[in-house]
Amino acid sequence: MSPEPMPHGAWPSPISTTDVARSGLSLGFPTVMGDHLWWEEDRPAEGGRRTVVHRHADGMLHELLPAPWDARTRVHEYGGRSYAVVPGRGIVFANHADQRLYLAAAGADPWPLTPEPDRPGGLRYADLLVHESPDGPELWCVRERHHDDGVVSRSIVSLSLPTASLAAAQEGRADGIVERVSGSDFYAFPTLSPDGRHLAYVCWDHPAMPWTGTELRVTRISDGHTVAIAGGADESVLAPCWRDDRTLYFVSDRSGWWNLYQSDLLGGARRALHPAEEEFAGPLWQLGGRPYQPLGDGRLAVLHGRGDLRLGILDPATGTLSDVEVPYTGWVPALACDGRSVAGIAYGPRLPRAIVRIAASGRVELLCGDLAELPEAAYLPTPRAVEIESGDGRSVHAFLYPPSGPDATAATAAPYVVFVHGGPTGHATTELSLEKAFFTSRSIGVLDLNYGGSTGYGRAYRERLRGQWGIIDVEDAVAAARWLAAANLADPARIAIRGGSAGGWTVMAACCASDVFAGGVSIAGVSALAPLVAATHDFESRYIDWLVGPEALYGSREPLARAGEIGCPMLLMQGLADPVVPPAQSEAFADTMTAHGVPCTYLAFEGESHGFRRQETKATALAAELSFYLQIFIAMD
């Protein structure tokens, strides 16, 4: 039977708002020890609560943290790995409600390890590392302290863990917390040498961000003597890993790409393991992920590529890199290894995000998938990598997702939505997204844009946005819309743009600067810079210095100052508990648009932070977004 002609947006689709909202378990940060695995897993139907799941050797899954426990750290507000496994004793995790560390084991209530802070959530912990010392197990981590005067300080600390069972340990207390390293504004990747004598770590200071300039240091624990190994103001160094007691591996972008290097304890004899115009790491928005891991035979399991990262095996002695044959096209930069097998989070355009383990024999085992059921493949779009010419002949990367559905066809060019990722130092991948399929199966195409400033394509590509936020990203978004029209992929009158956070800024700015968009959707978007700088969290408090420059430039860049120039309708959505981009940013923009008589809908969600977590919120927001597109697109059919 031939597909039936139908208007765009009205194609029958089996993918509902509820399907999208309850998908996305946000599997994260696996740990592998022999036949046992652990990972983080969200619960959208439980208010977005995060738990830790243990997969036993027999394949049985055990949720370690029942409600209301919520394993989420708020260090840097973006958090990261929230737990660490203590062999034979359970897990240590950061609890979202109070940010204290707890020890949890099967059959017992979690027991607090760290003191209750003077102010709620005033002491936070992340990047947890368990080390078996001669005196018993120790926990090393990054600690973030919020002082009453608003100052935030960080350090690397350690504490001894109970050596008895959890039940017995509840009668006593963990030993005191020892501050090991301090003085820098930020820390990441605390990594102890095999003999426990040296601590390697990455640090940086305001106004740098971890993808602009960091330093790798090694501190001798006995006396605090510290040596700078690599890095600086114009070099991003990440992910140290000990080869032995005297030699370190690390990632650096000193060549223009995040490549792997080896160095001795003095920073000498440095050499690149496999020089390539590829990335071997991603931006450090969250703490605790490792983009490579050592194997038992001396080789390294690495992630590398442009855009999506592939899994490979690198021999440091020869520099030989061979990809592992798996059905997945990309991996999240958070690998785990016990020397015998590698575990990670993999994905593909038509394969949902999954915890995957690869044994030494090469056998690939899928352990837990993000989605229990997938729609029929005909409803899932297949992305195509494209390059678009933007201002000054710049080549810009994007992924094209054409409309796809087996039951309908249309006689006119499709409407399209340009997706703009957040960050802005982030990037779009080809990971299966039911959210995109929700639109493409209804004949609304998607172009996922990696505008200049995105990661995944080298330092020079990231540096395009330096001092140019609100210019380069906007030019690239407008160029993407015009490319869609010129390629006869989209109806030029029916192209919208949507994005969240920094992507919301680009949405608003692009709708101010150009008339190519029929409408815009901003989720927790930045509209004004001075209020953002005054109210946002410490991690990004100086980011605007790099993205824009001095305050004198704010007025010429920020969307709020130009809101009166917008001629297209907009939908703004915002979490009212957002500490990263406060609600006032969306509210002010909505008020200005309304005052100028331009259609604007503002939806605010109680209890939601920066990025919606609750199933009901996700479903409501997606339904509102589709309704918005139908109003601006389908009326033209």
Side-chain angles (χ1 to χ4, degrees):
M1 182 179 294
S2 300
E4 181 181 351
M6 288 187 179
H8 295 292
W11 289 15
S13 171
I15 305 171
S16 68
T17 57
T18 302
D19 292 332
V20 178
R22 68 186 177 194
S23 69
L25 296 176
S26 296
L27 305 170
F29 300 109
T31 300
V32 58
M33 294 182 182
D35 293 327
H36 293 259
L37 279 102
W38 296 257
W39 61 81
E40 295 180 8
E41 189 172 300
D42 281 4
R43 294 282 188 265
E46 299 178 33
R49 184 181 71 87
R50 181 171 297 162
T51 187
V52 178
V53 175
H54 178 197
R55 185 183 190 273
H56 296 263
D58 60 5
M60 295 295 293
L61 301 183
H62 178 213
E63 181 181 336
L64 298 181
L65 302 175
W69 296 102
D70 187 355
R72 277 196 287 152
T73 171
R74 287 184 57 193
V75 171
H76 298 178
E77 293 298 347
Y78 294 108
R81 178 186 289 271
S82 64
Y83 79 100
V85 177
V86 187
R89 298 176 182 88
I91 63 167
V92 175
F93 72 97
N95 184 47
H96 182 252
D98 57 11
Q99 290 298 291
R100 297 172 72 184
L101 291 178
Y102 288 77
L103 185 61
D109 292 332
W111 172 69
L113 288 171
T114 56
E116 186 172 355
D118 295 332
R119 52 182 297 174
L123 290 173
R124 306 174 185 182
Y125 307 86
D127 228 342
L128 311 181
L129 166 71
V130 173
H131 173 67
E132 292 289 345
S133 75
D135 298 323
E138 298 174 334
L139 181 74
W140 293 66
C141 62
V142 174
R143 182 178 67 183
E144 182 176 274
R145 182 187 294 272
H146 292 247
H147 303 270
D148 290 336
D149 57 4
V151 173
V152 181
S153 62
R154 297 171 187 86
S155 57
I156 295 177
V157 301
S158 70
L159 65 152
S160 297
L161 296 174
T163 56
S165 67
L166 177 59
Q170 289 176 328
E171 300 299 324
R173 291 209 42 96
D175 292 343
I177 296 176
V178 179
E179 188 171 82
R180 299 290 187 168
V181 176
S182 63
S184 294
D185 291 332
F186 300 94
Y187 292 94
F189 300 109
T191 309
L192 283 166
S193 59
D195 61 10
R197 296 176 59 194
H198 293 90
L199 175 71
Y201 54 92
V202 167
C203 58
W204 66 99
D205 294 308
H206 284 306
M209 299 298 286
W211 43 85
T212 62
T214 63
E215 191 169 72
L216 169 61
R217 296 178 183 172
V218 172
T219 294
R220 189 164 55 213
I221 294 171
S222 61
D223 59 7
H225 177 69
T226 299
V227 176
I229 302 297
D234 297 312
E235 180 181 358
S236 171
V237 181
L238 305 168
C241 174
W242 293 92
R243 189 191 75 175
D244 52 44
D245 291 332
R246 306 293 299 176
T247 312
L248 274 168
Y249 298 127
F250 60 90
V251 174
S252 168
D253 70 351
R254 66 198 312 263
S255 70
W257 298 83
W258 273 316
N259 279 193
L260 272 162
Y261 292 81
Q262 176 181 307
S263 174
D264 63 23
L265 275 183
L266 299 178
R270 180 191 299 176
R271 68 180 181 91
L273 301 183
H274 182 86
E277 292 189 349
E278 292 186 328
E279 304 283 43
F280 285 71
L284 192 64
W285 283 104
Q286 292 189 314
L287 298 179
R290 297 277 176 165
Y292 68 99
Q293 289 281 3
L295 300 173
D297 60 6
R299 296 180 300 165
L300 301 173
V302 303
L303 298 178
H304 69 106
R306 295 191 184 194
D308 292 317
L309 298 178
R310 307 184 304 278
L311 177 64
I313 303 298
L314 174 61
D315 186 341
T318 64
T320 303
L321 175 61
S322 302
D323 284 344
V324 178
E325 292 297 325
V326 292
Y328 303 96
T329 58
W331 294 73
V332 175
L335 292 178
C337 183
D338 64 353
R340 297 182 298 166
S341 63
V342 178
I345 304 162
Y347 59 81
R350 293 191 172 186
L351 292 172
R353 178 182 287 216
I355 301 289
V356 177
R357 178 169 59 189
I358 302 174
S361 64
R363 183 171 63 93
V364 179
E365 186 179 8
L366 189 154
L367 303 176
C368 179
D370 197 30
L371 297 170
E373 295 183 3
L374 281 178
E376 182 182 333
Y379 292 100
L380 299 176
T382 300
R384 176 165 62 94
V386 298
E387 292 190 27
I388 298 163
E389 184 175 316
S390 187
D392 299 327
R394 299 189 308 272
S395 180
V396 179
H397 298 278
F399 295 111
L400 180 72
Y401 294 81
S404 59
D407 304 318
T409 187
T412 59
Y416 262 79
V417 181
V418 175
F419 276 39
V420 185
H421 65 71
T425 311
H427 70 279
T429 70
T430 60
E431 179 176 354
L432 170 66
S433 165
L434 279 193
E435 183 179 57
K436 292 187 181 75
F438 177 83
F439 294 118
T440 58
S441 63
R442 288 168 168 81
S443 192
I444 298 174
V446 170
L447 183 77
D448 212 354
L449 180 66
N450 275 319
Y451 52 87
S454 302
T455 51
Y457 304 97
R459 184 168 183 123
Y461 199 84
R462 299 199 309 271
E463 292 276 347
R464 289 184 185 180
L465 210 58
R466 187 171 195 167
Q468 298 295 304
W469 195 37
I471 298 177
I472 293 296
D473 52 321
V474 170
E475 288 181 357
D476 291 352
V478 171
R482 289 176 173 157
W483 177 85
L484 285 168
N488 296 319
L489 294 167
D491 181 340
R494 294 190 290 187
I495 302 175
I497 183 171
R498 66 97 78 175
S501 189
W505 154 283
T506 304
V507 167
M508 290 184 277
C511 289
C512 292
S514 173
D515 60 0
V516 301
F517 297 108
V521 177
S522 170
I523 304 166
V526 177
S527 68
L529 295 174
L532 178 72
V533 171
T536 196
H537 58 128
D538 183 64
F539 177 64
E540 293 184 275
S541 62
R542 300 290 302 277
Y543 195 14
I544 301 303
D545 296 358
W546 189 90
L547 288 169
V548 176
E551 189 172 354
L553 297 175
Y554 289 4
S556 64
R557 301 286 182 84
E558 57 191 17
L560 183 60
R562 304 179 60 188
E565 302 173 28
I566 292 183
C568 65
M570 293 199 69
L571 169 64
L572 309 182
M573 294 187 281
Q574 177 74 48
L576 292 179
D578 191 340
V580 178
V581 180
Q585 292 278 324
S586 294
E587 293 166 0
F589 197 81
D591 290 344
T592 303
M593 285 192 67
T594 300
H596 284 83
V598 181
C600 179
T601 300
Y602 173 58
L603 299 179
F605 298 96
E606 289 280 355
E608 291 287 4
S609 183
H610 196 63
F612 304 148
R613 299 183 61 84
R614 298 172 179 171
Q615 181 174 318
E616 58 271 24
T617 302
K618 293 180 179 181
T620 300
L622 189 59
E625 187 172 352
L626 176 62
S627 175
F628 176 78
Y629 295 143
L630 292 179
Q631 292 176 60
I632 64 173
F633 289 158
I634 309 311
M636 301 178 184
D637 269 322

